[in-house]
mmCIF file of all heavy atoms in Angstrom:
data_model
loop_
_atom_site.group_PDB
_atom_site.id
_atom_site.type_symbol
_atom_site.label_atom_id
_atom_site.label_comp_id
_atom_site.label_asym_id
_atom_site.label_seq_id
_atom_site.Cartn_x
_atom_site.Cartn_y
_atom_site.Cartn_z
ATOM 1 N N GLU A 20 0.842 -1.191 0.000
ATOM 2 C CA GLU A 20 0.000 0.000 0.000
ATOM 3 C C GLU A 20 0.879 1.244 0.000
ATOM 4 O O GLU A 20 1.874 1.299 0.718
ATOM 5 C CB GLU A 20 -0.910 0.023 1.234
ATOM 6 C CG GLU A 20 -1.851 -1.162 1.307
ATOM 7 C CD GLU A 20 -2.604 -1.224 2.638
ATOM 8 O OE1 GLU A 20 -2.582 -0.220 3.382
ATOM 9 O OE2 GLU A 20 -3.177 -2.280 2.942
ATOM 10 N N VAL A 21 0.492 2.253 -0.782
ATOM 11 C CA VAL A 21 1.296 3.474 -0.848
ATOM 12 C C VAL A 21 0.397 4.667 -1.158
ATOM 13 O O VAL A 21 -0.639 4.532 -1.814
ATOM 14 C CB VAL A 21 2.413 3.337 -1.918
ATOM 15 C CG1 VAL A 21 1.834 3.091 -3.294
ATOM 16 C CG2 VAL A 21 3.330 4.544 -1.931
ATOM 17 N N MET A 22 0.802 5.827 -0.632
ATOM 18 C CA MET A 22 0.142 7.096 -0.925
ATOM 19 C C MET A 22 1.138 8.004 -1.627
ATOM 20 O O MET A 22 2.315 8.046 -1.261
ATOM 21 C CB MET A 22 -0.326 7.779 0.361
ATOM 22 C CG MET A 22 -1.357 7.022 1.148
ATOM 23 S SD MET A 22 -1.635 7.749 2.802
ATOM 24 C CE MET A 22 -2.340 9.361 2.378
ATOM 25 N N VAL A 23 0.675 8.743 -2.623
ATOM 26 C CA VAL A 23 1.524 9.711 -3.331
ATOM 27 C C VAL A 23 0.809 11.058 -3.366
ATOM 28 O O VAL A 23 -0.364 11.138 -3.742
ATOM 29 C CB VAL A 23 1.831 9.261 -4.776
ATOM 30 C CG1 VAL A 23 2.678 10.319 -5.491
ATOM 31 C CG2 VAL A 23 2.568 7.922 -4.779
ATOM 32 N N LYS A 24 1.508 12.112 -2.973
ATOM 33 C CA LYS A 24 0.948 13.470 -3.011
ATOM 34 C C LYS A 24 1.032 13.994 -4.433
ATOM 35 O O LYS A 24 2.116 14.142 -5.002
ATOM 36 C CB LYS A 24 1.732 14.386 -2.070
ATOM 37 C CG LYS A 24 1.095 15.748 -1.880
ATOM 38 C CD LYS A 24 -0.144 15.676 -1.013
ATOM 39 C CE LYS A 24 -0.532 17.058 -0.492
ATOM 40 N NZ LYS A 24 -1.666 17.003 0.445
ATOM 41 N N ARG A 25 -0.143 14.290 -5.019
ATOM 42 C CA ARG A 25 -0.210 14.766 -6.388
ATOM 43 C C ARG A 25 -0.248 16.291 -6.420
ATOM 44 O O ARG A 25 -0.245 16.972 -5.389
ATOM 45 C CB ARG A 25 -1.427 14.168 -7.085
ATOM 46 C CG ARG A 25 -1.443 12.637 -7.116
ATOM 47 C CD ARG A 25 -0.259 12.055 -7.893
ATOM 48 N NE ARG A 25 -0.239 12.571 -9.233
ATOM 49 C CZ ARG A 25 -0.908 12.032 -10.268
ATOM 50 N NH1 ARG A 25 -1.643 10.946 -10.069
ATOM 51 N NH2 ARG A 25 -0.847 12.559 -11.456
ATOM 52 N N GLU A 26 -0.331 16.843 -7.625
ATOM 53 C CA GLU A 26 -0.328 18.284 -7.808
ATOM 54 C C GLU A 26 -1.584 18.929 -7.223
ATOM 55 O O GLU A 26 -2.621 18.279 -7.074
ATOM 56 C CB GLU A 26 -0.209 18.621 -9.295
ATOM 57 C CG GLU A 26 -1.353 18.126 -10.158
ATOM 58 C CD GLU A 26 -1.250 16.678 -10.587
ATOM 59 O OE1 GLU A 26 -0.308 15.972 -10.156
ATOM 60 O OE2 GLU A 26 -2.126 16.248 -11.377
ATOM 61 N N ALA A 27 -1.483 20.202 -6.883
ATOM 62 C CA ALA A 27 -2.614 20.922 -6.292
ATOM 63 C C ALA A 27 -3.828 20.854 -7.212
ATOM 64 O O ALA A 27 -3.722 21.073 -8.424
ATOM 65 C CB ALA A 27 -2.225 22.375 -6.032
ATOM 66 N N GLY A 28 -4.988 20.529 -6.642
ATOM 67 C CA GLY A 28 -6.214 20.426 -7.421
ATOM 68 C C GLY A 28 -6.481 19.034 -7.958
ATOM 69 O O GLY A 28 -7.517 18.795 -8.585
ATOM 70 N N PHE A 29 -5.575 18.088 -7.735
ATOM 71 C CA PHE A 29 -5.749 16.727 -8.249
ATOM 72 C C PHE A 29 -7.029 16.100 -7.703
ATOM 73 O O PHE A 29 -7.815 15.506 -8.440
ATOM 74 C CB PHE A 29 -4.539 15.873 -7.887
ATOM 75 C CG PHE A 29 -4.687 14.417 -8.215
ATOM 76 C CD1 PHE A 29 -4.548 13.971 -9.516
ATOM 77 C CD2 PHE A 29 -4.977 13.483 -7.215
ATOM 78 C CE1 PHE A 29 -4.699 12.619 -9.823
ATOM 79 C CE2 PHE A 29 -5.125 12.147 -7.513
ATOM 80 C CZ PHE A 29 -4.981 11.712 -8.822
ATOM 81 N N ASN A 30 -7.232 16.212 -6.388
ATOM 82 C CA ASN A 30 -8.449 15.696 -5.755
ATOM 83 C C ASN A 30 -8.611 16.369 -4.401
ATOM 84 O O ASN A 30 -8.000 15.939 -3.418
ATOM 85 C CB ASN A 30 -8.378 14.173 -5.586
ATOM 86 C CG ASN A 30 -9.694 13.579 -5.108
ATOM 87 O OD1 ASN A 30 -10.516 14.268 -4.498
ATOM 88 N ND2 ASN A 30 -9.904 12.300 -5.367
ATOM 89 N N PRO A 31 -9.438 17.415 -4.335
ATOM 90 C CA PRO A 31 -9.617 18.130 -3.063
ATOM 91 C C PRO A 31 -10.111 17.242 -1.928
ATOM 92 O O PRO A 31 -9.783 17.488 -0.765
ATOM 93 C CB PRO A 31 -10.652 19.199 -3.409
ATOM 94 C CG PRO A 31 -10.536 19.384 -4.890
ATOM 95 C CD PRO A 31 -10.200 18.024 -5.434
ATOM 96 N N VAL A 32 -10.889 16.222 -2.245
ATOM 97 C CA VAL A 32 -11.439 15.346 -1.213
ATOM 98 C C VAL A 32 -10.325 14.595 -0.476
ATOM 99 O O VAL A 32 -10.380 14.389 0.736
ATOM 100 C CB VAL A 32 -12.440 14.339 -1.818
ATOM 101 C CG1 VAL A 32 -12.903 13.330 -0.773
ATOM 102 C CG2 VAL A 32 -13.641 15.081 -2.400
ATOM 103 N N THR A 33 -9.286 14.184 -1.208
ATOM 104 C CA THR A 33 -8.172 13.444 -0.605
ATOM 105 C C THR A 33 -6.988 14.352 -0.286
ATOM 106 O O THR A 33 -5.900 13.861 0.020
ATOM 107 C CB THR A 33 -7.672 12.335 -1.547
ATOM 108 O OG1 THR A 33 -7.125 12.941 -2.738
ATOM 109 C CG2 THR A 33 -8.791 11.392 -1.935
ATOM 110 N N LYS A 34 -7.218 15.657 -0.335
ATOM 111 C CA LYS A 34 -6.133 16.639 -0.145
ATOM 112 C C LYS A 34 -4.986 16.365 -1.118
ATOM 113 O O LYS A 34 -3.813 16.520 -0.797
ATOM 114 C CB LYS A 34 -5.645 16.630 1.305
ATOM 115 C CG LYS A 34 -6.695 17.117 2.301
ATOM 116 C CD LYS A 34 -6.117 17.315 3.684
ATOM 117 C CE LYS A 34 -7.172 17.900 4.636
ATOM 118 N NZ LYS A 34 -6.641 18.110 6.002
ATOM 119 N N ASP A 35 -5.368 15.932 -2.320
ATOM 120 C CA ASP A 35 -4.452 15.692 -3.437
ATOM 121 C C ASP A 35 -3.578 14.455 -3.256
ATOM 122 O O ASP A 35 -2.603 14.265 -3.992
ATOM 123 C CB ASP A 35 -3.578 16.919 -3.741
ATOM 124 C CG ASP A 35 -4.400 18.128 -4.115
ATOM 125 O OD1 ASP A 35 -5.434 17.956 -4.793
ATOM 126 O OD2 ASP A 35 -4.048 19.247 -3.699
ATOM 127 N N TRP A 36 -3.929 13.580 -2.332
ATOM 128 C CA TRP A 36 -3.252 12.285 -2.240
ATOM 129 C C TRP A 36 -3.902 11.311 -3.216
ATOM 130 O O TRP A 36 -5.105 11.342 -3.441
ATOM 131 C CB TRP A 36 -3.369 11.710 -0.837
ATOM 132 C CG TRP A 36 -2.543 12.394 0.209
ATOM 133 C CD1 TRP A 36 -2.976 13.301 1.141
ATOM 134 C CD2 TRP A 36 -1.144 12.235 0.439
ATOM 135 N NE1 TRP A 36 -1.932 13.706 1.936
ATOM 136 C CE2 TRP A 36 -0.786 13.073 1.532
ATOM 137 C CE3 TRP A 36 -0.145 11.463 -0.169
ATOM 138 C CZ2 TRP A 36 0.513 13.153 2.026
ATOM 139 C CZ3 TRP A 36 1.146 11.541 0.325
ATOM 140 C CH2 TRP A 36 1.473 12.378 1.406
ATOM 141 N N GLU A 37 -3.081 10.422 -3.773
ATOM 142 C CA GLU A 37 -3.599 9.296 -4.556
ATOM 143 C C GLU A 37 -3.159 8.015 -3.850
ATOM 144 O O GLU A 37 -2.002 7.882 -3.457
ATOM 145 C CB GLU A 37 -3.079 9.304 -5.992
ATOM 146 C CG GLU A 37 -3.691 8.207 -6.846
ATOM 147 C CD GLU A 37 -3.307 8.284 -8.318
ATOM 148 O OE1 GLU A 37 -2.366 9.034 -8.660
ATOM 149 O OE2 GLU A 37 -3.944 7.598 -9.127
ATOM 150 N N TYR A 38 -4.111 7.090 -3.683
ATOM 151 C CA TYR A 38 -3.831 5.823 -3.029
ATOM 152 C C TYR A 38 -3.540 4.752 -4.076
ATOM 153 O O TYR A 38 -4.136 4.726 -5.157
ATOM 154 C CB TYR A 38 -5.031 5.379 -2.190
ATOM 155 C CG TYR A 38 -5.449 6.365 -1.125
ATOM 156 C CD1 TYR A 38 -6.559 7.197 -1.322
ATOM 157 C CD2 TYR A 38 -4.754 6.468 0.077
ATOM 158 C CE1 TYR A 38 -6.963 8.098 -0.341
ATOM 159 C CE2 TYR A 38 -5.148 7.375 1.057
ATOM 160 C CZ TYR A 38 -6.248 8.189 0.837
ATOM 161 O OH TYR A 38 -6.639 9.088 1.811
ATOM 162 N N PHE A 39 -2.643 3.826 -3.722
ATOM 163 C CA PHE A 39 -2.281 2.736 -4.619
ATOM 164 C C PHE A 39 -2.294 1.414 -3.859
ATOM 165 O O PHE A 39 -1.768 1.314 -2.752
ATOM 166 C CB PHE A 39 -0.869 2.937 -5.185
ATOM 167 C CG PHE A 39 -0.729 4.116 -6.105
ATOM 168 C CD1 PHE A 39 -0.574 5.392 -5.594
ATOM 169 C CD2 PHE A 39 -0.733 3.952 -7.490
ATOM 170 C CE1 PHE A 39 -0.440 6.497 -6.434
ATOM 171 C CE2 PHE A 39 -0.596 5.040 -8.336
ATOM 172 C CZ PHE A 39 -0.457 6.314 -7.811
ATOM 173 N N ASP A 40 -2.903 0.418 -4.470
ATOM 174 C CA ASP A 40 -2.862 -0.958 -3.962
ATOM 175 C C ASP A 40 -1.971 -1.733 -4.923
ATOM 176 O O ASP A 40 -2.210 -1.738 -6.141
ATOM 177 C CB ASP A 40 -4.274 -1.539 -3.919
ATOM 178 C CG ASP A 40 -4.301 -2.955 -3.387
ATOM 179 O OD1 ASP A 40 -3.383 -3.332 -2.641
ATOM 180 O OD2 ASP A 40 -5.257 -3.699 -3.717
ATOM 181 N N LEU A 41 -0.942 -2.396 -4.398
ATOM 182 C CA LEU A 41 0.086 -2.992 -5.245
ATOM 183 C C LEU A 41 0.133 -4.510 -5.120
ATOM 184 O O LEU A 41 -0.092 -5.066 -4.047
ATOM 185 C CB LEU A 41 1.469 -2.443 -4.868
ATOM 186 C CG LEU A 41 1.636 -0.927 -4.782
ATOM 187 C CD1 LEU A 41 3.044 -0.593 -4.284
ATOM 188 C CD2 LEU A 41 1.356 -0.258 -6.120
ATOM 189 N N ASP A 42 0.461 -5.171 -6.226
ATOM 190 C CA ASP A 42 0.912 -6.560 -6.208
ATOM 191 C C ASP A 42 2.430 -6.519 -6.283
ATOM 192 O O ASP A 42 2.996 -5.807 -7.134
ATOM 193 C CB ASP A 42 0.368 -7.333 -7.410
ATOM 194 C CG ASP A 42 -1.005 -7.919 -7.148
ATOM 195 O OD1 ASP A 42 -1.331 -8.172 -5.972
ATOM 196 O OD2 ASP A 42 -1.758 -8.129 -8.118
ATOM 197 N N ILE A 43 3.100 -7.250 -5.408
ATOM 198 C CA ILE A 43 4.561 -7.214 -5.404
ATOM 199 C C ILE A 43 5.128 -8.624 -5.460
ATOM 200 O O ILE A 43 4.514 -9.583 -4.993
ATOM 201 C CB ILE A 43 5.102 -6.480 -4.158
ATOM 202 C CG1 ILE A 43 4.654 -7.179 -2.876
ATOM 203 C CG2 ILE A 43 4.644 -5.033 -4.158
ATOM 204 C CD1 ILE A 43 5.260 -6.604 -1.617
ATOM 205 N N SER A 44 6.315 -8.741 -6.065
ATOM 206 C CA SER A 44 7.018 -10.012 -6.150
ATOM 207 C C SER A 44 8.492 -9.708 -6.341
ATOM 208 O O SER A 44 8.890 -8.538 -6.462
ATOM 209 C CB SER A 44 6.498 -10.843 -7.341
ATOM 210 O OG SER A 44 6.872 -10.218 -8.562
#
C-alpha cells in the first residue's frame, strides 16, 4: 500500500493524495 501526493487540485477530497494498492514479487 502506498500514498503519493499529487499536484494541487488533483483531488480536493483526498487533499491531493492518490492511493495505490500494489501486487509485489
Side-chain angles (χ1 to χ4, degrees):
E20 299 172 13
V21 60
M22 297 170 65
V23 178
K24 189 73 163 185
R25 301 298 303 273
E26 62 278 4
F29 173 77
N30 188 337
V32 174
T33 65
K34 294 190 176 180
D35 300 323
W36 288 101
E37 184 174 13
Y38 302 102
F39 293 81
D40 181 25
L41 309 175
D42 273 334
I43 60 174
S44 68

